[in-house]
Amino acid sequence: MRKKRNAIILAHYYQEPGIQDIADFIGDSLELSRKASETNADVIVFCGVHFMAETAKILCPDKTVLLPDIEAGCTLADDCPPNEFQNFLNKHPNHFAISYINCSAAVKAKSDLICTSSNAVDLISQLPKDIPILFSPDRNLGKWVAKQSGRKLTLWQGRCLVHETFNEEALIKLKIKNPNAAVLAHPECQESLLDHADFIGSTSKLLNFSQSSNKDKFIVLTEPGIIHQMRLKDPLKTYLEVPGLDGCSCNECPYMRMNTLEKVYNCLKEMQPELKMDEQIRSMAYRPLKRMLDMSS
Ligand code: 13P
Ligand code: SF4
Protein backbone atom coordinates (compact mmCIF):
# COMPACT_ATOMS: atom_id res chain seq x y z
CA MET A 1 0.00 0.00 0.00
CA ARG A 2 2.87 2.33 0.84
CA LYS A 3 4.50 1.62 -2.56
CA LYS A 4 1.22 1.91 -4.44
CA ARG A 5 0.60 5.39 -2.99
CA ASN A 6 4.25 6.48 -3.18
CA ALA A 7 3.93 7.29 0.52
CA ILE A 8 6.42 7.88 3.31
CA ILE A 9 5.49 6.89 6.86
CA LEU A 10 6.91 9.27 9.46
CA ALA A 11 6.58 8.33 13.13
CA HIS A 12 7.29 10.04 16.42
CA TYR A 13 8.99 8.05 19.21
CA TYR A 14 5.78 8.08 21.26
CA GLN A 15 3.95 5.89 18.75
CA GLU A 16 3.17 2.30 19.72
CA PRO A 17 6.10 -0.06 18.95
CA GLY A 18 4.31 -1.75 16.01
CA ILE A 19 4.03 1.60 14.19
CA GLN A 20 7.65 2.48 14.91
CA ASP A 21 8.68 -0.87 13.41
CA ILE A 22 7.04 -0.21 10.02
CA ALA A 23 7.91 3.52 9.78
CA ASP A 24 10.32 4.81 7.12
CA PHE A 25 11.68 7.37 9.54
CA ILE A 26 11.37 7.92 13.31
CA GLY A 27 12.46 11.14 14.96
CA ASP A 28 11.83 14.05 17.30
CA SER A 29 9.72 17.04 16.20
CA LEU A 30 12.65 18.86 14.57
CA GLU A 31 13.87 15.83 12.62
CA LEU A 32 10.35 14.94 11.52
CA SER A 33 9.71 18.45 10.17
CA ARG A 34 13.06 18.34 8.32
CA LYS A 35 12.24 14.94 6.85
CA ALA A 36 8.76 16.13 5.76
CA SER A 37 10.26 19.18 4.05
CA GLU A 38 12.77 17.04 2.12
CA THR A 39 10.70 14.05 0.98
CA ASN A 40 9.93 13.24 -2.67
CA ALA A 41 6.94 11.08 -1.72
CA ASP A 42 3.45 12.13 -2.88
CA VAL A 43 1.82 11.15 0.39
CA ILE A 44 3.02 11.70 3.98
CA VAL A 45 1.45 9.42 6.58
CA PHE A 46 2.15 11.25 9.82
CA CYS A 47 2.09 8.89 12.77
CA GLY A 48 2.08 11.49 15.49
CA VAL A 49 -0.39 14.14 16.62
CA HIS A 50 -2.36 16.85 14.83
CA PHE A 51 0.14 19.72 15.18
CA MET A 52 2.86 17.47 13.70
CA ALA A 53 0.75 16.61 10.64
CA GLU A 54 -0.11 20.32 10.33
CA THR A 55 3.60 21.14 10.35
CA ALA A 56 4.15 18.71 7.46
CA LYS A 57 1.29 20.35 5.52
CA ILE A 58 2.65 23.86 6.20
CA LEU A 59 6.01 22.79 4.76
CA CYS A 60 4.62 20.68 1.89
CA PRO A 61 1.32 22.20 0.70
CA ASP A 62 1.31 20.13 -2.51
CA LYS A 63 1.53 16.79 -0.76
CA THR A 64 -1.30 14.74 0.69
CA VAL A 65 -0.81 14.53 4.47
CA LEU A 66 -2.68 11.75 6.25
CA LEU A 67 -3.08 11.47 10.03
CA PRO A 68 -4.27 7.95 10.95
CA ASP A 69 -6.54 9.34 13.70
CA ILE A 70 -7.56 12.95 13.04
CA GLU A 71 -8.63 13.34 16.70
CA ALA A 72 -5.04 12.84 17.94
CA GLY A 73 -4.50 16.26 19.58
CA CYS A 74 -2.12 17.64 22.20
CA THR A 75 -2.84 19.36 25.52
CA LEU A 76 -0.20 22.00 24.84
CA ALA A 77 -1.84 22.99 21.55
CA ASP A 78 -5.28 22.92 23.22
CA ASP A 79 -4.01 25.12 26.07
CA CYS A 80 -3.28 27.95 23.63
CA PRO A 81 -6.37 28.99 21.62
CA PRO A 82 -5.47 31.46 18.80
CA ASN A 83 -7.79 34.25 20.08
CA GLU A 84 -6.30 34.14 23.57
CA PHE A 85 -2.84 34.02 22.08
CA GLN A 86 -3.67 37.16 20.08
CA ASN A 87 -4.70 38.91 23.35
CA PHE A 88 -1.39 37.84 24.89
CA LEU A 89 0.47 39.40 21.92
CA ASN A 90 -1.62 42.61 22.20
CA LYS A 91 -0.77 42.88 25.92
CA HIS A 92 2.95 42.66 25.12
CA PRO A 93 3.63 44.97 22.16
CA ASN A 94 7.17 45.05 20.71
CA HIS A 95 7.90 41.56 22.01
CA PHE A 96 9.35 38.78 19.85
CA ALA A 97 7.00 35.77 19.96
CA ILE A 98 8.65 32.34 20.00
CA SER A 99 6.26 29.41 19.92
CA TYR A 100 7.06 25.80 20.66
CA ILE A 101 6.14 23.63 17.68
CA ASN A 102 3.46 21.97 19.89
CA CYS A 103 0.82 24.58 18.94
CA SER A 104 -1.81 24.97 16.24
CA ALA A 105 -1.10 26.31 12.75
CA ALA A 106 -3.18 29.40 13.65
CA VAL A 107 -0.86 30.15 16.61
CA LYS A 108 2.21 29.50 14.44
CA ALA A 109 0.82 32.00 11.93
CA LYS A 110 0.86 34.71 14.65
CA SER A 111 4.39 33.86 15.87
CA ASP A 112 7.78 35.28 14.88
CA LEU A 113 9.75 32.06 15.29
CA ILE A 114 8.99 28.40 15.98
CA CYS A 115 11.25 26.19 18.09
CA THR A 116 11.35 22.59 19.25
CA SER A 117 12.69 21.14 22.49
CA SER A 118 15.82 20.27 20.55
CA ASN A 119 16.75 23.74 19.30
CA ALA A 120 14.97 26.23 21.64
CA VAL A 121 18.07 27.19 23.67
CA ASP A 122 20.23 27.54 20.56
CA LEU A 123 17.65 29.69 18.71
CA ILE A 124 17.11 32.02 21.66
CA SER A 125 20.86 32.47 22.04
CA GLN A 126 20.98 33.73 18.44
CA LEU A 127 18.50 36.56 19.13
CA PRO A 128 19.72 40.08 20.02
CA LYS A 129 20.11 40.43 23.80
CA ASP A 130 17.87 43.51 24.05
CA ILE A 131 14.62 42.17 22.55
CA PRO A 132 11.94 41.09 25.02
CA ILE A 133 10.67 37.58 24.29
CA LEU A 134 7.32 35.84 24.71
CA PHE A 135 7.56 32.06 24.97
CA SER A 136 4.45 29.91 24.37
CA PRO A 137 2.76 27.59 25.15
CA ASP A 138 4.78 25.26 27.46
CA ARG A 139 5.64 26.88 30.80
CA ASN A 140 7.97 24.05 31.88
CA LEU A 141 10.00 24.10 28.67
CA GLY A 142 9.99 27.92 28.82
CA LYS A 143 11.34 27.95 32.38
CA TRP A 144 14.08 25.49 31.49
CA VAL A 145 15.05 27.39 28.32
CA ALA A 146 15.20 30.67 30.30
CA LYS A 147 17.56 29.04 32.80
CA GLN A 148 19.77 27.50 30.11
CA SER A 149 19.99 30.63 27.95
CA GLY A 150 20.14 33.16 30.79
CA ARG A 151 17.35 35.14 29.07
CA LYS A 152 14.22 36.52 30.69
CA LEU A 153 11.16 35.06 28.96
CA THR A 154 7.52 35.98 29.46
CA LEU A 155 5.76 32.62 29.56
CA TRP A 156 2.38 31.38 28.41
CA GLN A 157 1.07 29.04 31.13
CA GLY A 158 0.43 25.86 29.10
CA ARG A 159 1.45 22.37 30.15
CA CYS A 160 1.63 18.83 28.81
CA LEU A 161 -0.74 16.52 30.63
CA VAL A 162 1.65 13.58 30.27
CA HIS A 163 4.84 15.23 31.52
CA GLU A 164 3.04 17.06 34.35
CA THR A 165 1.86 13.68 35.64
CA PHE A 166 5.36 12.52 36.57
CA ASN A 167 5.63 12.51 40.29
CA GLU A 168 8.70 13.51 42.31
CA GLU A 169 8.00 10.98 45.08
CA ALA A 170 7.76 8.09 42.56
CA LEU A 171 11.02 9.26 40.95
CA ILE A 172 12.86 9.47 44.28
CA LYS A 173 11.67 5.95 45.20
CA LEU A 174 13.02 4.65 41.88
CA LYS A 175 16.33 6.49 42.37
CA ILE A 176 16.77 4.99 45.84
CA LYS A 177 16.17 1.48 44.44
CA ASN A 178 18.51 2.12 41.48
CA PRO A 179 21.28 4.39 42.77
CA ASN A 180 23.51 3.86 39.70
CA ALA A 181 20.88 4.70 37.13
CA ALA A 182 21.14 7.95 35.14
CA VAL A 183 17.95 10.04 35.02
CA LEU A 184 16.99 11.19 31.51
CA ALA A 185 14.25 13.83 31.31
CA HIS A 186 12.28 15.69 28.65
CA PRO A 187 12.17 19.47 29.34
CA GLU A 188 8.34 19.40 29.37
CA CYS A 189 8.64 17.91 32.91
CA GLN A 190 8.20 20.16 35.92
CA GLU A 191 11.28 21.90 37.34
CA SER A 192 11.18 19.84 40.58
CA LEU A 193 11.70 16.68 38.47
CA LEU A 194 14.21 18.23 36.09
CA ASP A 195 16.33 19.06 39.16
CA HIS A 196 16.92 15.29 39.58
CA ALA A 197 17.98 14.74 35.96
CA ASP A 198 21.48 13.82 34.77
CA PHE A 199 20.56 14.74 31.21
CA ILE A 200 17.70 16.84 29.77
CA GLY A 201 16.78 16.99 26.08
CA SER A 202 14.42 16.25 23.21
CA THR A 203 13.41 12.64 22.57
CA SER A 204 16.23 12.14 20.03
CA LYS A 205 18.78 13.66 22.38
CA LEU A 206 17.65 11.33 25.20
CA LEU A 207 17.99 8.36 22.83
CA ASN A 208 21.50 9.44 21.74
CA PHE A 209 22.55 9.99 25.34
CA SER A 210 21.38 6.52 26.39
CA GLN A 211 23.49 5.01 23.58
CA SER A 212 26.68 6.99 24.14
CA SER A 213 26.65 6.98 27.96
CA ASN A 214 28.84 4.47 29.80
CA LYS A 215 25.97 3.91 32.29
CA ASP A 216 23.99 0.70 31.86
CA LYS A 217 20.74 1.72 33.57
CA PHE A 218 18.44 4.68 32.89
CA ILE A 219 15.35 6.13 34.51
CA VAL A 220 13.38 7.61 31.61
CA LEU A 221 11.23 10.64 32.42
CA THR A 222 9.21 10.94 29.26
CA GLU A 223 6.59 9.00 27.32
CA PRO A 224 7.70 5.33 27.39
CA GLY A 225 7.34 4.86 23.59
CA ILE A 226 10.96 6.08 23.34
CA ILE A 227 12.12 3.04 25.35
CA HIS A 228 11.28 0.81 22.37
CA GLN A 229 14.01 2.55 20.32
CA MET A 230 16.42 2.62 23.29
CA ARG A 231 16.07 -1.17 23.63
CA LEU A 232 16.49 -1.73 19.88
CA LYS A 233 19.65 0.40 19.77
CA ASP A 234 21.22 -1.07 22.91
CA PRO A 235 19.40 -4.16 24.24
CA LEU A 236 21.99 -4.88 26.94
CA LYS A 237 21.13 -1.77 28.94
CA THR A 238 18.18 -1.41 31.33
CA TYR A 239 15.53 1.29 30.89
CA LEU A 240 13.05 2.06 33.65
CA GLU A 241 9.88 4.06 33.11
CA VAL A 242 8.49 6.19 35.92
CA PRO A 243 4.97 5.09 36.87
CA GLY A 244 2.30 7.26 38.44
CA LEU A 245 2.33 7.01 42.23
CA ASP A 246 -0.35 4.29 42.22
CA GLY A 247 1.49 2.33 39.50
CA CYS A 248 -0.86 3.35 36.66
CA SER A 249 0.41 3.89 33.12
CA CYS A 250 -0.74 7.52 32.87
CA ASN A 251 2.73 8.31 31.46
CA GLU A 252 1.51 7.19 28.00
CA CYS A 253 0.30 10.05 25.79
CA PRO A 254 -3.38 9.29 25.15
CA TYR A 255 -3.28 11.27 21.89
CA MET A 256 -0.16 9.67 20.43
CA ARG A 257 -1.59 6.27 21.28
CA MET A 258 -4.81 6.91 19.31
CA ASN A 259 -2.97 5.87 16.15
CA THR A 260 -2.88 2.11 15.60
CA LEU A 261 -1.39 -0.12 12.90
CA GLU A 262 -4.89 -0.81 11.60
CA LYS A 263 -5.60 2.93 11.29
CA VAL A 264 -2.28 3.41 9.45
CA TYR A 265 -3.31 0.69 6.96
CA ASN A 266 -6.83 2.10 6.58
CA CYS A 267 -5.67 5.68 6.00
CA LEU A 268 -3.44 4.52 3.14
CA LYS A 269 -6.26 2.42 1.71
CA GLU A 270 -8.92 5.14 1.95
CA MET A 271 -6.56 8.15 1.56
CA GLN A 272 -8.17 9.72 4.60
CA PRO A 273 -8.32 11.25 7.19
CA GLU A 274 -6.50 13.94 5.23
CA LEU A 275 -5.09 17.06 6.88
CA LYS A 276 -6.59 20.16 5.22
CA MET A 277 -5.59 23.73 5.95
CA ASP A 278 -6.66 27.24 5.11
CA GLU A 279 -4.06 28.57 2.62
CA GLN A 280 -3.77 31.99 4.29
CA ILE A 281 -3.00 30.44 7.69
CA ARG A 282 -0.60 28.00 6.03
CA SER A 283 1.42 30.66 4.27
CA MET A 284 1.61 32.81 7.43
CA ALA A 285 2.67 29.79 9.52
CA TYR A 286 5.33 28.86 6.94
CA ARG A 287 7.39 32.02 7.63
CA PRO A 288 8.32 31.35 11.33
CA LEU A 289 8.70 27.63 10.66
CA LYS A 290 11.09 28.19 7.73
CA ARG A 291 13.00 30.66 9.88
CA MET A 292 13.42 27.91 12.49
CA LEU A 293 14.77 25.46 9.90
CA ASP A 294 17.15 28.09 8.53
CA MET A 295 18.43 29.02 12.00
CA SER A 296 18.92 25.46 13.30
CA SER A 297 22.19 23.79 12.65
P1 13P B 1 10.27 16.03 20.90
O1 13P B 1 10.39 17.13 19.91
O2 13P B 1 11.34 16.06 21.94
O3 13P B 1 10.20 14.71 20.22
O4 13P B 1 8.93 16.24 21.73
C1 13P B 1 7.65 16.19 21.20
C2 13P B 1 6.60 16.06 22.21
O5 13P B 1 5.43 16.13 21.94
C3 13P B 1 7.01 15.85 23.58
O6 13P B 1 5.91 15.66 24.39
FE1 SF4 C 1 1.30 16.84 23.52
FE2 SF4 C 1 2.28 15.96 25.83
FE3 SF4 C 1 1.32 14.20 24.07
FE4 SF4 C 1 3.64 15.50 23.58
S1 SF4 C 1 3.23 14.02 25.22
S2 SF4 C 1 1.94 15.20 22.14
S3 SF4 C 1 3.20 17.51 24.50
S4 SF4 C 1 0.12 15.81 25.15
Side-chain angles (χ1 to χ4, degrees), residues 12 14-21 228 256-257 259-261:
H12 188 265
Y14 297 166
Q15 293 295 285
E16 61 169 53
I19 294 180
Q20 294 187 35
D21 291 345
H228 181 59
M256 288 279 185
R257 302 290 175 142
N259 296 322
T260 60
L261 266 180

Side-chain angles (χ1 to χ4, degrees):
M1 193 68 77
R2 169 181 11 212
K3 276 192 191 142
K4 189 171 148 193
R5 302 289 191 204
N6 187 25
I8 186 171
I9 302 179
L10 304 181
H12 188 265
Y13 294 114
Y14 297 166
Q15 293 295 285
E16 61 169 53
I19 294 180
Q20 294 187 35
D21 291 345
I22 55 115
D24 294 299
F25 181 79
I26 314 169
D28 67 9
S29 309
L30 179 62
E31 293 163 339
L32 289 169
S33 22
R34 274 231 180 83
K35 200 73 187 173
S37 71
E38 289 163 359
T39 184
N40 293 322
D42 297 319
V43 177
I44 298 173
V45 178
F46 213 116
C47 300
V49 291
H50 197 269
F51 77 81
M52 294 179 170
E54 275 191 334
T55 303
K57 189 69 186 174
I58 294 166
L59 294 169
C60 318
D62 299 333
K63 297 195 188 296
T64 302
V65 178
L66 304 173
L67 179 58
D69 191 319
I70 203 77
E71 302 295 327
C74 168
T75 44
L76 277 170
D78 292 347
D79 267 355
C80 191
N83 292 348
E84 290 176 32
F85 182 66
Q86 184 60 56
N87 294 339
F88 184 58
L89 298 182
N90 295 346
K91 265 194 212 154
H92 299 90
N94 306 320
H95 279 58
F96 189 84
I98 301 186
S99 298
Y100 185 31
I101 199 163
N102 297 39
C103 65
S104 65
V107 166
K108 287 186 177 73
K110 295 174 187 293
S111 306
D112 295 305
L113 177 64
I114 304 303
C115 70
T116 72
S117 57
S118 163
N119 61 17
V121 176
D122 172 42
L123 297 190
I124 284 177
S125 310
Q126 294 180 45
L127 299 177
K129 294 267 179 294
D130 54 346
I131 50 165
I133 300 173
L134 302 179
F135 189 95
S136 311
D138 186 1
R139 63 183 178 193
N140 294 330
L141 175 67
K143 227 175 177 182
W144 177 73
V145 170
K147 225 169 154 181
Q148 295 297 304
S149 63
R151 301 290 291 263
K152 189 180 170 302
L153 306 177
T154 302
L155 305 180
W156 182 276
Q157 294 299 314
R159 82 282 173 273
C160 158
L161 146 128
V162 178
H163 289 86
E164 286 247 331
T165 306
F166 290 118
N167 179 284
E168 194 180 1
E169 195 181 326
L171 173 63
I172 291 171
K173 280 185 180 163
L174 212 51
K175 279 187 74 159
I176 291 170
K177 267 198 191 160
N178 303 279
N180 295 324
V183 178
L184 311 181
H186 195 279
E188 286 176 14
C189 292
Q190 296 182 69
E191 193 177 20
S192 57
L193 283 109
L194 293 180
D195 286 345
H196 294 278
D198 296 292
F199 182 76
I200 300 169
S202 74
T203 47
S204 284
K205 288 187 177 173
L206 298 183
L207 178 62
N208 292 341
F209 185 90
S210 71
Q211 278 183 271
S212 59
S213 164
N214 52 18
K215 293 265 185 185
D216 59 7
K217 202 184 257 192
F218 303 92
I219 296 173
V220 183
L221 265 174
T222 192
E223 218 272 8
I226 185 79
I227 294 179
H228 181 59
Q229 286 306 312
M230 290 175 170
R231 285 202 180 109
L232 286 176
K233 303 259 187 222
D234 200 336
L236 297 177
K237 293 181 174 177
T238 305
Y239 310 95
L240 305 168
E241 50 183 286
V242 184
L245 250 193
D246 55 0
C248 69
S249 66
C250 36
N251 52 10
E252 283 184 2
C253 174
Y255 305 104
M256 288 279 185
R257 302 290 175 142
M258 287 171 88
N259 296 322
T260 60
L261 266 180
E262 190 179 6
K263 288 180 192 173
V264 175
Y265 171 75
N266 283 337
C267 81
L268 270 169
K269 192 169 156 208
E270 311 292 341
M271 290 297 279
Q272 58 171 332
E274 183 182 352
L275 202 292
K276 301 268 190 196
M277 195 180 298
D278 176 85
E279 176 50 26
Q280 200 186 349
I281 290 182
R282 192 206 65 79
S283 62
M284 287 170 72
Y286 178 76
R287 194 183 34 96
L289 202 52
K290 177 72 169 60
R291 188 183 260 175
M292 170 189 86
L293 292 175
D294 292 344
M295 285 173 73
S296 344
S297 45

